Amino acid sequence: MSDEQTSLIKKIGIDGVMILVASIVFCVSVYSLLTDRENTRRKTKNETPVARLTTSKNDVRRRVDTGFSWGMIRKDDVAFDGDSLFTGVDSEALFEIESGGKFTVEPNSLVILRTRSSALQFDLQYGSISAKVQTNQPIIVGSHDVPQKITAEDADVRIIADGPGHDTKVQVLKGEIHLSDAALSNASESTPKPLQQGEFAHISPSGAVTIKRTEITLLSPSSGQNLWLPLGGSVKFIWNRVGTTANQPVQFEISMDPSFTQPLVRAVINANQFDLPEGRRPEGGVYWRVAPLANHQMIPPTLPWRLS
């Protein structure tokens, strides 16, 4: 035993050393117990697995239905019915749904995963999720009281929520979907509402659905596209305007954050494209959107695209 260790024992006493050792053993035991509890939980037949994490970036956390604390979730970990998923700034997570399809929890988001009538339900508290909806694999959006079922043959959607008390927005990125009231036991009681690419639905906290169509369609870069550009090249953003927006100025924005609270680029132009030079190209995933200035109504942004 070194002189420093002997001196430390004299200062705190034998009883203090024993208390210190006991505290360490207790902490290790609690950690092992919690870890074993989670492992047991994952194996029990009473828990319903809903999705598996395939890739993640930065701060991605999960809280189990019966837990109070958040823990990291890693590749190939399984999310169960009732789990909550959180992503921080510049963070995202891609999951494969057990019944088929995929979804991505985008940055700054909190969602509770549930199952309802054998379908995966996204109870999105805030933030955004993108999902692929396949044949015979519907998903459900909204809270437990006013859920809406999304069915499609092959479609990409984006779900956006600004927090409790606000509308949940569903944007069709590709294909066509049908919205119906998932709370009704008889499907014939609810008339499905069709939505096509370029349209989005506002679902109010009371469950009322309003369908809107944007007069601006984002064309390129496409949703989720990875861009590989040579040095000295520029990025060309292209969109289409129809109706009342055809000859009106628009506001073009690029942001690292899907909420666009601090856009990296903001420009007012009267055109259908914007060239971003190499010197202004951000690294990593970004969002972009275009909004008409006449009524100041921003369309939901596209999914992230990346530069390398």
Side-chain angles (χ1 to χ4, degrees), residues 187-209:
S188 62
E189 298 178 23
S190 176
T191 303
K193 301 176 178 64
L195 278 82
Q196 297 179 342
Q197 183 174 347
E199 294 182 325
F200 55 98
H202 284 240
I203 306 172
S204 72
S206 64
V209 177

Side-chain angles (χ1 to χ4, degrees), residues 58-271:
N58 296 336
D59 184 13
V60 179
R61 285 175 261 172
R62 183 258 306 274
R63 184 177 64 191
V64 301
D65 187 24
T66 57
F68 297 97
S69 61
W70 291 89
M72 303 304 293
I73 182 170
R74 298 172 178 82
K75 182 180 179 181
D76 293 328
D77 281 355
V78 175
F80 292 84
D81 182 11
D83 283 0
S84 299
L85 301 174
F86 166 82
T87 54
V89 176
D90 194 27
S91 305
E92 61 184 10
L94 173 64
F95 287 84
E96 289 185 352
I97 303 174
E98 291 290 322
S99 57
K102 300 178 181 181
F103 70 90
T104 299
V105 184
E106 299 180 359
N108 297 320
S109 300
L110 173 61
V111 61
I112 304 173
L113 302 180
R114 308 184 191 277
T115 54
R116 189 186 189 107
S117 301
S118 301
L120 178 59
Q121 178 176 351
F122 298 104
D123 189 353
L124 185 60
Q125 305 298 297
Y126 60 83
S128 54
I129 290 175
S130 59
K132 178 174 286 294
V133 187
Q134 299 178 338
T135 305
N136 299 324
Q137 302 294 341
I139 62 173
I140 297 175
V141 299
S143 65
H144 177 75
D145 298 326
V146 287
Q148 291 287 325
K149 179 186 290 187
I150 300 176
T151 56
E153 291 187 359
D154 183 18
D156 293 338
V157 299
R158 191 161 186 265
I159 308 159
I160 306 163
D162 296 326
H166 296 272
D167 290 355
T168 297
K169 296 181 280 285
V170 178
Q171 182 187 17
V172 183
L173 301 174
K174 187 188 78 171
E176 179 178 338
I177 68 171
H178 289 82
L179 274 177
S180 59
D181 192 336
L184 298 178
S185 57
N186 188 351
S188 62
E189 298 178 23
S190 176
T191 303
K193 301 176 178 64
L195 278 82
Q196 297 179 342
Q197 183 174 347
E199 294 182 325
F200 55 98
H202 284 240
I203 306 172
S204 72
S206 64
V209 177
T210 303
I211 297 177
K212 299 181 180 180
R213 181 172 182 83
T214 177
E215 294 184 329
I216 299 178
T217 303
L218 306 182
L219 300 177
S220 178
S222 60
S223 174
Q225 181 178 349
N226 291 321
L227 298 180
W228 298 84
L229 301 175
L231 293 176
S234 63
V235 186
K236 188 183 295 293
F237 295 84
I238 304 173
W239 57 91
N240 183 46
R241 296 177 293 168
V242 297
T244 58
T245 65
N247 298 310
Q248 294 179 352
V250 295
Q251 183 164 291
F252 171 82
E253 292 183 333
I254 297 177
S255 175
M256 300 287 287
D257 187 337
S259 64
F260 285 80
T261 53
Q262 295 181 327
L264 301 173
V265 177
R266 175 175 287 166
V268 176
I269 56 177
N270 192 351

Side-chain angles (χ1 to χ4, degrees), residues 259-307:
S259 64
F260 285 80
T261 53
Q262 295 181 327
L264 301 173
V265 177
R266 175 175 287 166
V268 176
I269 56 177
N270 192 351
N272 287 339
Q273 70 177 51
F274 182 88
D275 291 334
L276 186 68
E278 180 186 8
R280 300 182 66 185
R281 283 165 33 188
E283 293 184 1
V286 299
Y287 298 82
W288 71 285
R289 67 182 180 184
V290 180
L293 291 183
N295 52 17
H296 297 282
Q297 293 201 356
M298 292 284 192
I299 63 174
T302 62
L303 297 179
W305 54 267
R306 289 177 173 78
L307 301 175

